[in-house]
Amino acid sequence: MKIITTCGMGFGTSLMLLMELQSIGAKHGIAIEGEALDISSVHGQNCDAIFGSNEIVKSLDGITVPVVGIKNILDKAEIEAKLLELIKSTGSEKG
């Protein structure tokens, strides 16, 4: 599964979020590859989903993949719940 994480500049919050998503994926046997990008670089990227803070993802228009907003990017339980919900809703397989 390929996930893009995004924030204002593309290397602080988004990188931290991507690392957490990969850690959670590993815990559940789900391979997650991804990229941390700034908000202006997200459009046209080939991915299965985009994650970012609620405030950042509000500004994404015309995205055709699932966009997942995170209320508190320090809340590992919220991130895990939203990732697992996404996987369940998209039918993505483990491995």
Side-chain angles (χ1 to χ4, degrees), residues 31-46:
I32 294 178
E33 64 176 90
E35 196 170 354
L37 299 173
D38 66 275
I39 191 73
S40 64
S41 299
V42 170
H43 291 279
Q45 295 294 321
N46 182 22

Side-chain angles (χ1 to χ4, degrees), residues 2-81:
K2 182 172 182 186
I3 294 177
I4 301 267
T5 56
T6 189
C7 66
M9 299 300 285
F11 47 80
T13 304
S14 60
L15 185 56
M16 188 170 73
L17 182 55
L18 178 58
M19 290 170 50
E20 186 59 38
L21 287 164
Q22 289 173 326
S23 175
I24 292 165
K27 174 181 166 184
H28 292 279
I30 302 161
I32 294 178
E33 64 176 90
E35 196 170 354
L37 299 173
D38 66 275
I39 191 73
S40 64
S41 299
V42 170
H43 291 279
Q45 295 294 321
N46 182 22
C47 64
D48 297 307
I50 298 170
F51 277 70
S53 72
N54 282 343
E55 294 305 312
I56 289 289
V57 299
K58 285 180 188 176
S59 64
L60 291 174
D61 294 323
I63 301 291
T64 59
V65 298
V67 175
V68 180
I70 303 295
K71 181 177 178 182
N72 179 356
I73 63 135
L74 299 176
D75 184 348
K76 293 179 181 188
E78 177 190 3
I79 297 167
E80 183 170 16

